[in-house]
Amino acid sequence: MLRLLFVFLTSFSLSYLLLWGTDGEASPVFGSINSVLFVLGAMFGALSFAFFNYVEGVMKDIPKKLKFQNLELYSLVVSLLTDLKREVISNVLLVVVLLLTAFFAGAVAEMDFLHRLNFSSYSTWGIQSVRGACFLSIIVVVCVQLGGFVTANSLREEVSMYGE
C-alpha cells in the first residue's frame, strides 16, 4: 500500500510539474487519457482473468503426495499461490478504482465553475494530474501483475521438474 501511495504521489507530482512547466500546453495529453485508460483496463481485465486461471492450474499441478512427504513445504507453496491469487483480485479492484477516479476527475475538470475561478489553471492542472497519476499507476500495476505471472511460471516449472 505504501508503494502504491508513493507511485501515485510521484506520478501526480511529475504530471503537475509537466503541466506547470509547459504552462498548460501539455493539457491535451491529459485530456485524452480516458480512451487509453479504458483500453488498458480491458486488457488488464483479460490478463488478470487468464493469470488467475493460470495460478489455479499451478495449484492443481502440485502433487498430492508432497502433502504427506513434506507438509511444511506443501503448505508454503499453497500459501504463496493463494497470496498470488489474492493479489490478482486486489489489483483488479485497484485498477477499477483508478479508472473511476480518472473518469470522475476528467468530468470535474470539464465543469464550468472551475473556469470561473481565479486560480482555474492551477486547479485544472491538479485535476489533470490526478488523471495522469491514475494512468501511470495503472501502468505500474500491470507491470507488477506481469511480474507475478513470471513468478507463477517459475513455480510451475519447479513443480513440473520436482513434482514426481
Side-chain angles (χ1 to χ4, degrees):
M1 188 64 173
L2 188 60
R3 183 172 55 169
L4 173 65
L5 186 62
F6 174 75
V7 166
F8 189 83
L9 290 176
T10 302
S11 301
F12 177 84
S13 300
L14 291 173
S15 298
Y16 195 84
L17 282 173
L18 176 66
L19 287 165
W20 178 75
T22 62
D23 197 30
E25 295 292 322
S27 290
V29 172
F30 295 96
S32 61
I33 274 183
N34 276 350
S35 58
V36 174
L37 279 176
F38 292 129
V39 170
L40 191 61
M43 287 176 34
F44 179 76
L47 170 73
S48 297
F49 182 70
F51 182 44
F52 188 87
N53 287 330
Y54 186 80
V55 172
E56 188 70 29
V58 172
M59 286 183 80
K60 289 178 183 175
D61 287 348
I62 300 171
K64 300 300 178 206
K65 69 179 183 178
L66 181 62
K67 187 177 191 177
F68 302 110
Q69 292 174 348
N70 192 345
L71 182 61
E72 185 178 315
L73 180 62
Y74 180 81
S75 298
L76 177 67
V77 169
V78 170
S79 173
L80 288 173
L81 289 170
T82 303
D83 288 345
L84 201 54
K85 285 172 38 177
R86 279 190 202 118
E87 184 179 336
V88 169
I89 293 169
S90 65
N91 284 347
V92 168
L93 291 175
L94 173 64
V95 167
V96 168
V97 167
L98 289 171
L99 285 171
L100 289 173
T101 302
F103 175 76
F104 286 119
V108 168
E110 294 175 9
M111 291 183 177
D112 288 336
F113 81 91
L114 283 178
H115 300 290
R116 289 190 297 258
L117 298 174
N118 291 336
F119 55 93
S120 67
S121 62
Y122 297 116
S123 62
T124 303
W125 294 346
I127 292 170
Q128 288 177 340
S129 296
V130 168
R131 296 173 84 186
C134 289
F135 175 71
L136 293 174
S137 297
I138 288 173
I139 296 291
V140 169
V141 170
V142 168
C143 291
V144 167
Q145 190 94 318
L146 288 173
F149 187 75
V150 170
T151 300
N153 196 27
S154 297
L155 284 172
R156 177 167 257 175
E157 180 183 341
E158 290 292 322
V159 166
S160 297
M161 291 182 81
Y162 302 108
E164 293 300 325

